[in-house]
Amino acid sequence: MILTVTLNPAIDRTIEIENLEVDKVNRTLKVRKDIGGKGINVSKTILAMGGDSLATIIVGGPNGDFILKEAQQMGLKTKVILNKGNTRENIKIVDVVNKTYTDINEPGPDADEAVEEEILSFIGSTLSENDFLVLSGSSLKGLSDDIFNKMVEKANQVGAYTMVDVEGEKLRTVIESKPSLIKPNIHELEALFNTSITRIEEVVSYAQKLIEKGLQTVVVSMGEKGLLWIDENTVYLGEALKVDVKSTVGAGDAIVAGLAKSLNEKRNVEETLRVAISAASCVIETEGSKTGNMASLNTYISKVDIVKLV
Ligand SMILES: Nc1ncnc2c1ncn2[C@@H]1O[C@H](COP(=O)(O)OP(=O)(O)OP(=O)(O)O)[C@@H](O)[C@H]1O
Ligand SMILES: O=P(O)(O)OC[C@@]1(O)O[C@H](CO)[C@@H](O)[C@@H]1O
């Protein structure tokens, strides 16, 4: 089983604009609303690929109701933890002329006192060996600073595989709990080491420092430059496909979805990277954070180039 966790889901409001200008009145071309938050996107993409997962979500208020209704309509399996505060709405501005993608994310509501205990006990009682726990996205105010560590530790206790896609201090902290795999993008890796990275050799060398701390695998996504897989013995580069980018929202989540689904099916690294990159290509060809249309998935899988560097 793949269990995703979204502590801070969102309604993603995607606004298309021609030539976005700050300090001016801008008129929209199109607006759409999707249910989002990184773990929800991972579950949506797994479902679109014909896979199965359980999405654990903390929701509340009218926005929470909207998310539950949409999730049910799309056939997403959910474990719902109710919170009093209204779930957030995030703005995604796509400038269709200049091809820029701007995110404005709300912090989300405060967590009720009971929520942390509820989520930890659910994870503890649900996961067993061979399961996958996928933790991604931001947290809620009111939850412990080391909430992600606590969730990883629950999974470690039963020998489940843990995948984490979080940023900033949360990433720095969660590494101490030794998740099986983390997926920073290159900017998150730079922030982690307080440096700037230009060459692939540097990405590999910083990722190897994390492997030395006890992680099994570090997957670094690098936008149109593709993806690096680094583990104790090997390094693979998966090259991105050239596609018509409609929205990059959820590209990283599609990578995580492809990794989780393929590793859960015990595919090898090369196959896993092919699936992950192909899923991301399908998602970025899709408007907003609508579920990616996976019609091209198999064609893309056969096109992705994987290079074994070590
Ligand atoms: N412009 C692009 N052209 C082709 N592929 C892309 C492009 N941008 C992203 N991708 C694909 O999506 C993957 C993930 O992208 P990226 O590294 O930007 O993730 P991220 O920063 O975690 O994404 P997110 O925007 O979801 O936070 C890349 O590894 C690549 O396969
Ligand atoms: O604020 P967070 O939790 O870091 O990110 C939330 C978010 O930007 O991530 C998804 C795309 O990856 C969107 O659906 C959502 O709005």
Side-chain angles (χ1 to χ4, degrees), residues 8 10 12 35-38 41 88 90 92 103 105-106 137-138 167 249-251 253 289:
N8 197 6
D12 287 343
I35 64 170
K38 295 192 192 304
N41 292 341
R88 65 187 169 153
N90 291 341
K92 314 288 165 181
D103 288 25
N105 288 6
E106 292 184 10
S138 56
E167 59 178 53
V249 177
D253 306 331
S289 43

Side-chain angles (χ1 to χ4, degrees), residues 180-201:
S180 315
L181 182 151
I182 58 169
K183 194 226 60 77
N185 66 27
I186 189 154
H187 309 296
E188 289 156 358
L189 190 70
E190 286 178 327
L192 191 61
F193 287 97
N194 194 18
T195 187
S196 85
I197 300 177
T198 48
R199 293 180 304 116
I200 281 187
E201 293 77 4

Side-chain angles (χ1 to χ4, degrees), residues 183 185 221-224 226-227 240-241 245 248 250-252 255 277 280 284:
K183 194 226 60 77
N185 66 27
S221 65
M222 307 180 294
E224 62 192 349
L227 203 58
L241 294 172
V245 182
T248 52
I255 294 287
I277 289 173
I284 60 185

Side-chain angles (χ1 to χ4, degrees), residues 241 243 278 281-282 285 296-304:
L241 294 172
V243 291
S278 302
S281 305
C282 292
E285 279 183 325
S296 315
L297 188 73
N298 287 330
T299 318
Y300 286 165
I301 288 174
S302 63
K303 284 192 182 158
V304 173

Side-chain angles (χ1 to χ4, degrees), residues 20-87:
L20 174 71
E21 289 182 281
V22 291
D23 221 12
K24 291 266 171 64
V25 174
N26 293 268
R27 307 275 172 195
T28 62
L29 287 177
K30 262 198 226 166
V31 178
R32 55 169 298 119
K33 263 163 87 166
D34 299 288
I35 64 170
K38 295 192 192 304
I40 290 183
N41 292 341
V42 172
S43 282
K44 276 159 54 180
T45 304
I46 291 175
L47 183 66
M49 288 192 289
D52 191 35
S53 75
L54 178 62
T56 314
I57 57 180
I58 301 176
V59 288
N63 289 347
D65 292 343
F66 176 85
I67 290 178
L68 293 181
K69 200 168 119 243
E70 292 278 311
Q72 196 185 15
Q73 268 171 15
M74 59 178 71
L76 217 57
K77 281 190 208 154
T78 52
K79 159 67 190 176
V80 178
I81 294 175
L82 289 174
N83 190 44
K84 282 200 201 77
N86 193 17
T87 298

